[in-house]
Amino acid sequence: MPEIQLGCHTVRSHGVQVAKVHMHDWLILLVLAGIDLGLNLIEPFHRFVGEDMMTDLKYPLKVNTVPFWSVPIIAVLLPLAVILVYYFIRKDVYDLHQAILGLLFSVFITAILTDAIKDGVGRPRPDFFWRCFPDGKGVFDPTTKDVMCTGSKSVIKEGHKSFPSGHTSWSFAGLGFLAWYLSGKVRAFDRRGHVDKLCIVFLPLLIAALVGVSRVDDYWHHWQDVCAGSLIGITIASFCYLQFFPPPYDADGWGPHAYFQMLAESQNRDESSSNNANSLSVQPAELTSIYVQPHNGAELSRGNSGDTNSMLHGHENGRRHPSIGCL
């Protein structure tokens, strides 16, 4: 596909058309957002935590290095800013729309999987003791030896959501999608061996990894939680990117599937129109040739017919070539 065609489709010219085609996808996103909200409201599973298990759960209760409110900024707004910058450079609404859609699907699907597993597993955080007993005095059931928490219910509820790490999964979902997106745009796998392109691709992944490390340093998560969250995020990001874009190593890896599908449909319509016009133009020449044939100018009429067809073919080729520039 000729890349010169990119830039002919803006939000003003094709935005409504593209949005209508994917209206059901936006509705699904709203459903996913509602599901994730519900998962955050329900009470997670409270697994048994015995007195002898508290040894590994007495890490200090610290403030988040990466606050909760900053996660959407890192995972959504930062990749979105890069996508918007690319749109203002190339002016292609197909790339803009598909990239935003893929990014949001990546984040919301990851959020649902993460929160569902959190609620189902109910693993205590490393600082669970101080969440459960803020005064430092442990209280346990005399029979089962299970904890009998005396702290705030909201703090205790959050203390049962250690596995997997939501900060990490969100970060790898959004920034992992951005890494895929950048790898296609800079043609990181064009077989020319430019390592600087890989540095651009790995930068978002480094930021996501540092977010995961902060969760262990703050004693909000075990290292297994962070590893699981990163795997969930990068896996979902990969699936969502490949749903909307070709692989970065593909010859057409710089653009979305929808863009090339639109080009193919436009070319088919142009070819169909050209063929119809060609058939209508050729018929009079054929009739003239048949009419003139009984006279002595048969050879001349055949020659004229051939010349007419050659002119038509030349005209047809001339029409197809300019259509490559902008559809």
Side-chain angles (χ1 to χ4, degrees), residues 176 178-202 205 241-242 246-254:
L178 178 60
W180 277 97
Y181 184 80
L182 291 174
S183 64
K185 295 300 178 286
V186 303
R187 295 171 177 80
F189 306 104
D190 57 1
R191 300 182 182 181
R192 296 183 180 180
H194 297 301
V195 182
D196 56 334
K197 295 182 178 181
L198 292 181
C199 295
I200 295 174
V201 173
F202 288 145
L205 298 178
Y241 179 84
L242 295 176
Y249 54 80
D250 192 88
D252 292 333
W254 52 269

Side-chain angles (χ1 to χ4, degrees), residues 46-47 49-50 54 57-59 61 124-140 146-160:
H46 289 205
R47 65 164 59 186
V49 182
M54 281 293 185
L57 304 177
K58 287 187 177 181
Y59 289 91
L61 182 60
R125 296 185 185 272
D127 56 7
F128 181 76
F129 177 86
W130 296 103
R131 291 174 178 272
C132 191
F133 310 116
D135 57 359
K137 298 178 182 179
V139 180
F140 301 89
D146 191 11
V147 293
M148 299 178 65
C149 295
T150 58
S152 172
K153 289 185 177 181
S154 60
V155 177
I156 296 171
K157 175 183 176 180
E158 192 62 34
H160 284 279

Side-chain angles (χ1 to χ4, degrees), residues 10 20 50 68 83 98 147 180 205 235 248 270 301 305 312-314:
T10 63
K20 285 182 178 179
F68 283 99
I83 294 170
Q98 301 302 84
V147 293
W180 277 97
L205 298 178
T235 300
D270 289 345
S301 66
S305 177
L312 287 171
H313 286 302

Side-chain angles (χ1 to χ4, degrees), residues 161-324:
K161 293 185 176 184
S162 184
F163 183 87
S165 170
H167 275 58
T168 309
S169 63
W170 270 64
S171 298
F172 271 92
L175 296 177
F177 186 92
L178 178 60
W180 277 97
Y181 184 80
L182 291 174
S183 64
K185 295 300 178 286
V186 303
R187 295 171 177 80
F189 306 104
D190 57 1
R191 300 182 182 181
R192 296 183 180 180
H194 297 301
V195 182
D196 56 334
K197 295 182 178 181
L198 292 181
C199 295
I200 295 174
V201 173
F202 288 145
L203 181 59
L205 298 178
L206 174 61
I207 297 174
L210 291 177
V211 173
V213 170
S214 72
R215 304 307 289 161
V216 179
D217 292 345
D218 294 339
Y219 307 120
W220 277 63
H221 286 285
H222 310 274
W223 67 268
Q224 299 95 330
D225 309 334
V226 171
C227 290
S230 62
L231 288 175
I232 292 174
I234 196 65
T235 300
I236 299 302
S238 301
F239 275 102
C240 289
Y241 179 84
L242 295 176
Q243 182 71 14
F244 294 97
F245 292 83
Y249 54 80
D250 192 88
D252 292 333
W254 52 269
H257 292 301
Y259 176 73
F260 299 113
Q261 182 179 1
M262 178 274 300
L263 289 184
E265 293 174 354
S266 299
Q267 290 178 355
N268 290 336
R269 287 195 298 267
D270 289 345
E271 290 178 0
S272 177
S273 299
S274 298
N275 291 335
N276 292 336
N278 187 32
S279 62
L280 291 174
S281 300
V282 169
Q283 286 178 1
E286 292 175 349
L287 290 174
T288 303
S289 177
I290 294 173
Y291 178 77
V292 177
Q293 189 172 359
H295 299 280
N296 294 330
E299 295 298 328
L300 179 61
S301 66
R302 290 194 183 96
N304 290 340
S305 177
D307 293 342
T308 303
N309 289 333
S310 300
M311 292 171 60
L312 287 171
H313 286 302
H315 178 64
E316 180 184 350
N317 292 334
R319 289 177 57 191
R320 290 180 185 176
H321 180 72
S323 66
I324 295 178

